[in-house]
Amino acid sequence: MLDIQVTDMIYIGLWGLLALFCIISAHRFHPILYLMGGFFAFLFGWYLVNAVTDLNLFAGVYSIVFRSVACGFLLAIILIYLKIRKNRTQ
């Protein structure tokens, strides 16, 4: 039997719903939402694997991988947003 905490279930549901919302609404609003949806899908998968396995994905090398990937996603989103904003003002 899986021993999943309530907070783990909340985070898994939150990241899954955000990923789904961003990917679905990207076609209507802006393609940057595909990247944001990918980031939330990554968080969804990371928290899901952390909850259902015995691995502690928030400690050691896994923590460094998580932070690096999250930093990369967020940096890419910020740079794309700034580029879009700069092009709109010109």
Side-chain angles (χ1 to χ4, degrees), residues 37-55:
F39 175 64
F40 291 132
F42 166 74
L43 289 175
F44 168 75
W46 197 271
Y47 275 81
L48 182 66
V49 170
N50 188 54
V52 299
T53 63
D54 291 334
L55 295 173

Side-chain angles (χ1 to χ4, degrees):
M1 173 128 185
L2 295 174
D3 184 30
I4 300 177
Q5 304 278 330
V6 174
T7 54
D8 290 338
M9 290 190 294
I10 291 171
Y11 277 117
I12 291 167
L14 172 74
W15 300 135
L17 288 174
L18 281 172
L20 190 62
F21 175 75
C22 284
I23 291 170
I24 289 172
S25 61
H27 178 69
R28 182 173 180 203
F29 295 112
H30 199 277
I32 196 172
L33 289 174
Y34 284 122
L35 186 60
M36 292 174 67
F39 175 64
F40 291 132
F42 166 74
L43 289 175
F44 168 75
W46 197 271
Y47 275 81
L48 182 66
V49 170
N50 188 54
V52 299
T53 63
D54 291 334
L55 295 173
N56 184 3
L57 296 181
F58 295 105
V61 175
Y62 295 122
S63 175
I64 295 170
V65 171
F66 174 76
R67 291 175 185 170
S68 300
V69 171
C71 235
F73 264 112
L74 294 175
L75 186 62
I77 290 169
I78 290 169
L79 291 175
I80 292 170
Y81 172 76
L82 291 175
K83 182 179 177 185
I84 292 167
R85 188 172 172 200
K86 180 181 175 185
N87 289 341
R88 283 188 183 170
T89 59
Q90 291 179 351

